[in-house]
Amino acid sequence: MNRTVPALVALLLVMDVTGALISLSTGLSPTLLDALGSEARLSAPLPMMIAQAVLAFGTTRRNRGVAAVCAGLLTIAGGLAFVSGFYDGGYDDPRLTASLRLFQIALVGAHLAMGVFSGVRVVQALRA
């Protein structure tokens, strides 16, 4: 079983929770739910985090179809995490300091990496 994707998703979940706590402590978000909601700047929204965790589990299944579909959806999610910042104002939020911006870049980079490795997992599942 391939554990790379679940490990990356676990890292993302840690980064998301950390980002939400940073948002809360710096005043970027007024409440923890806001920091984990649709206006989040330093974390994925909570429903996305849950979906990623479930899909990451699915990528480890022996059933090739389940693994491929779950990995494919995570590939799409990785790309959407990057693209969404252009549409929701996340990348041009003037409240982000240099250090907050660096965290945001690391988080988006980790989402892109998860997307790439999920794409590799799709190929692996289909070839098995």
Side-chain angles (χ1 to χ4, degrees):
M1 276 186 271
N2 189 320
R3 302 258 184 229
T4 305
V5 173
L8 283 170
V9 170
L11 172 65
L12 279 174
L13 294 176
V14 169
M15 290 179 76
D16 285 330
V17 171
T18 301
L21 293 174
I22 291 170
S23 290
L24 191 59
S25 70
T26 61
L28 192 59
S29 297
T31 68
L32 187 58
L33 286 179
D34 288 324
L36 293 170
S38 61
E39 298 296 316
R41 296 294 180 243
L42 301 179
S43 70
L46 190 56
M48 177 60 84
M49 294 167 59
I50 293 167
Q52 287 175 334
V54 170
L55 291 171
F57 176 75
T59 66
T60 66
R61 302 298 85 201
R62 290 189 190 272
N63 182 309
R64 294 178 356 180
V66 170
V69 167
C70 289
L73 290 171
L74 282 173
T75 300
I76 293 167
L80 288 176
F82 170 71
V83 172
S84 70
F86 293 106
Y87 294 99
D88 68 6
Y91 294 152
D92 63 356
D93 191 327
R95 299 173 300 159
L96 294 177
T97 63
S99 59
L100 295 178
R101 180 84 57 205
L102 283 174
F103 185 87
Q104 184 185 53
I105 290 168
L107 180 64
V108 171
H111 274 92
L112 287 172
M114 182 265 311
V116 168
F117 280 96
S118 294
V120 170
R121 179 66 182 126
V122 170
V123 173
Q124 289 173 341
L126 294 176
R127 287 188 178 169

